[in-house]
Amino acid sequence: NEQTEVVFVPCADSEPIKIKNKALEQLPARRYLVKATAPGYQQLNYLEGPINIYHDHLVVDQDGRPQREVVIQMERRVAAVWLSVSDCRDGKALPTASVQLLDEKENVCHVFDAPGSHDVAAVTSVTKTYALRLHLRGYVLHGPQSVTLERGKRIDLLMTARRTDVKVVCRDLRSGRRIDDVDIQLINEENEVLEGE
């Protein structure tokens, strides 16, 4: 992964050597913590440092096993999502829709803004359920209301939306006669205009 960053952090000489091979504990070695980062991944090994590197570049892990190289294991912590948004009445695709994933505190964790394509979302635990919020003028979310993502898995998120069809009739308060030349707008709680006719 070209975006992976690996850092060897030197430990103080007073840091105890935590290995099972007692003979190696008496030999001089430089001790390091290994920190690896990559977008969408989490380091799995070398977490209980430090590791020990001897003068001939021999590496000994926490279990006392000699190695000639440091092999860092990373776990992919994202889920692949195929998103589609369609009108629940006629099934037509709504490619301009935007969908947000919300956590339990209603914080936005990810935004899908290209329905009809693949995207990946970071998952903070093995499986996690997110609420869904749709952004598309003139539409509200019909279903589903939430999605559960699992690390390393692909999910097809097929969402439907329905138009905000509201019939509004304006009448004169005194005479009760209908007024036709009225500009009507529906505004949601986020101050977005849903309809302008």
Side-chain angles (χ1 to χ4, degrees), residues 8 16-32 50-70:
F8 286 78
I17 299 178
K18 300 176 182 178
I19 59 176
K20 297 179 181 179
N21 191 321
K22 297 297 182 182
L24 289 173
E25 288 186 358
Q26 309 304 318
L27 297 178
R30 292 301 307 269
R31 279 151 285 181
Y32 298 90
I51 65 168
N52 306 286
I53 301 180
Y54 293 84
H55 65 88
D56 59 351
H57 305 293
L58 175 69
V59 177
V60 176
D61 64 13
Q62 292 91 1
D63 295 324
R65 295 179 300 227
Q67 308 178 69
R68 282 292 178 179
E69 60 182 358
V70 177

Side-chain angles (χ1 to χ4, degrees), residues 182-197:
V182 178
D183 180 38
I184 299 172
Q185 292 182 331
L186 298 181
I187 302 175
N188 65 13
E189 64 277 4
E190 297 176 350
N191 234 12
E192 297 174 331
V193 177
L194 301 180
E195 293 287 350
E197 299 178 357

